[in-house]
Amino acid sequence: MDKYTVITFAPVQGFIEKSRKLRDLYGASLILSYLSQKLVQEFHKPPETEVISPASHNLQKGMPNRILIRGYVSKAQTEEILFSAWKNILQVCRQWIEDRITNTYHWEREWKLWGSYTWEVFQGSGVSIQAAMEDLETSKLSRDWTAVNWIGESSSLTGTDGIAFPELGAETRNPNNRRWTAEKDNIRQFYRSLACVSERCPPNKEPEGIIFALNEKLSIPELVKRLVTLSEIANKLGMSKVESFSEIHRGPSFWTGWFMGDGDEVGKHLKKLAGLPNGDDELKNFSQAMRDWGNNFTRDFPKEIGRVVYAGGDDFLGVIYREENQEPITANQAFQWLIKLPKIWQQHGQKIGLSVGFIWAGSGIPQRDILQHCREAEKLAKSSGRGRITIRVVFNSGQYVQWTCPWDYLYILTKYQDREGKNNWSHVYQDLAQLEARRAFNLEKKQLSEEFALNFFDIYFPGERQILLNYEQSKYIVGFSDEADDADRTKAKIDWISDLIKVGWHLCLST
């Protein structure tokens, strides 16, 4: 007889990434935590079933979406609870709109479709925790088709999902004879009305577009993510509220920093804990420690530099920014916080490392692109050996420079000094540009001079040359493999030094 069950649902990252405003990111994380909590509350019914992980069942914020249960829970049971909670969110949001904006609505069918086809549930079970986890991974190999087909227009975020407005499901909307100009006017008027009611702005006054911009074209899920951040809707649902809110200002001189982190090899760590004689207790303690850490991390994050969007235990997302009426935050200020992150992470007391992708983004980069950069950078940090950070500076052109470094060697950026003993990164950056323009490293011909590169490095980072000369230390820091030949190892070192200088110039320049 099965003794343990693991359940989860998807998409999670995809649901979060389709976001234009910071408010959307919060709304997505609130919904995901709300749905997870509904599952936890339903299935924590000792002695028949007991939720081992996540801990802190009454703390909704940051509730992970992977749930470990002692006892058997079927996929059908999970789907019933999840879809019921999701449909309730949709119903409350739709009713809120219809009660406040007078119109003839033809969209009930579309809301019901999204109620049935937004999420996919996965379930695994077994006589042990390890067996249940392995069964879950097997079940995730088979995916259902969950797309919803539309008439042709699409939201400005996904490019595929239909735009939510009163005529969305009207029978008269035939692709052959649609009056697109008239529909655009209706969409514009609908979102203006939404902006007015959400801001409590009279219809004869122009809304500021704080919550809904006048040119919005959102799908139903995107609309819902925005609406659940309103306190009256959150209250009705019993959903966690955003206690205070300010949007990111991304004017021409306002760069922003985005950090996405994840614990290293958490799955392996959980299996190790599960295999101990008191595995259930060990997993509970681990989950409680990570839940406490996520809650503290969110609460204690310095509000003067930004905020945490979500912290679901061993994974988190945050943003470093300033509001419109403030001075733009500098890359150096962001770095000063970033270098403290490993100590903050260690406060949970668990034996797991951390990989982070950090993006310093120009004002012209769309938010969904920034989130993609975050995921790519975090993945690179993990694939390079874990326990690392990948810093990526993304310019408005879409081009970027990046550098990956172990956390315990990130201090190298603080060791820089120019030939006058000052912290002016322009000197090394200009010297590197000159050397690369003259092909001093002969990268194309692979006639690489490691000694030349390390001597150049030693000028600006005194004393660090010896570390990169040591085989084991340089392999750990730079990330080359034992199979690499001398030329490849030398190239890896030169590329690492070059990337360090390019990223350091953008991140640490203080003059």
Side-chain angles (χ1 to χ4, degrees), residues 447-482:
Q447 296 172 351
L448 308 172
S449 173
E450 180 174 331
E451 183 179 1
F452 177 79
L454 292 180
N455 286 339
F456 170 67
F457 181 64
D458 199 54
I459 293 172
Y460 294 100
F461 298 89
E464 301 301 318
R465 177 178 183 272
Q466 290 302 121
I467 294 177
L468 293 186
L469 277 173
N470 180 283
Y471 177 82
E472 290 299 330
Q473 287 181 314
S474 62
K475 183 179 73 169
Y476 166 68
I477 292 169
V478 175
F480 55 78
S481 67
D482 286 323

Side-chain angles (χ1 to χ4, degrees), residues 169-221:
E171 294 181 2
T172 55
R173 297 186 73 216
N174 189 311
N176 295 322
N177 56 17
R178 285 168 64 210
R179 296 176 58 206
W180 179 234
T181 301
E183 284 194 0
K184 284 200 295 185
D185 292 339
N186 292 340
I187 291 170
R188 188 180 300 111
Q189 180 56 45
F190 173 68
Y191 282 96
R192 185 187 184 281
S193 298
L194 269 179
C196 284
V197 297
S198 62
E199 296 176 25
R200 293 183 171 83
C201 164
N204 59 351
K205 184 181 176 184
E206 192 70 9
E208 297 180 40
I210 297 172
I211 299 174
F212 291 96
L214 303 187
N215 61 346
E216 295 274 24
K217 293 184 179 69
L218 303 178
S219 69
I220 287 174

Side-chain angles (χ1 to χ4, degrees), residues 101-117:
I101 301 176
T102 303
N103 214 314
T104 303
Y105 289 90
H106 303 274
W107 63 359
E108 182 177 358
R109 177 176 176 271
E110 279 64 29
W111 283 82
K112 288 182 177 178
L113 284 171
W114 276 113
S116 300
Y117 293 101

